[in-house]
């Protein structure tokens, strides 16, 4: 029997937890800024909504340190039934998801 290897290179193991690289600026709700607080460029950034609210978002494909994704919500009561889900890839290529509750 032959050992088969994946065509993708193996991901490096992390020894410590990965710190969420985002901060949510809620000062102008229902318009939010999701700010990249890391020192890394985050790629493949997308924002989606789960719940009854509607979402308008300007999510660039890559977010540099200090830059932000802008998201606007419209709905009766987002605090009751809405979550935003942010998806991104740091430079090591792993996929991460983070949810934001209101």
């Amino acid at each position: 029997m032959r050992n088969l290897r994946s065509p993708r290179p193996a991901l490096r193991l992390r020894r410590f937890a990965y710190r969420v690289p985002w901060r949510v600026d809620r000062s102008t709700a229902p318009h939010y800024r999701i700010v990249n607080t890391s020192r890394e460029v985050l790629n493949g950034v997308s924002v989606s909504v789960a719940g009854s609210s509607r979402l308008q978002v300007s999510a660039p494909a890559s977010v540099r340190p200090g830059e932000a994704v802008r998201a606007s919500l419209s709905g009766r009561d987002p605090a009751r039934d809405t979550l935003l889900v942010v998806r991104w890839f740091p430079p090591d290529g792993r996929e991460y998801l983070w949810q934001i509750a209101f």
Side-chain angles (χ1 to χ4, degrees), residues 4-10:
L4 299 177
R5 284 195 266 166
S6 170
R8 298 180 74 189

Side-chain angles (χ1 to χ4, degrees), residues 37-98:
T37 59
S38 75
R39 296 180 185 167
E40 303 174 325
V41 175
L42 304 175
N43 297 302
V45 177
S46 65
V47 180
S48 57
V49 66
S52 65
S53 294
R54 294 171 50 119
L55 172 70
Q56 252 189 326
V57 66
S58 64
S62 296
V63 181
R64 299 167 89 57
E67 290 183 345
V69 174
R70 298 180 195 292
S72 297
L73 281 179
S74 59
R76 278 188 29 199
D77 190 3
R80 181 177 293 264
D81 67 355
T82 301
L83 292 172
L84 284 186
V85 179
V86 182
R87 174 182 180 241
W88 74 95
F89 297 88
D92 71 4
R94 293 175 189 246
E95 177 182 29
Y96 288 92
L97 300 169
W98 183 52

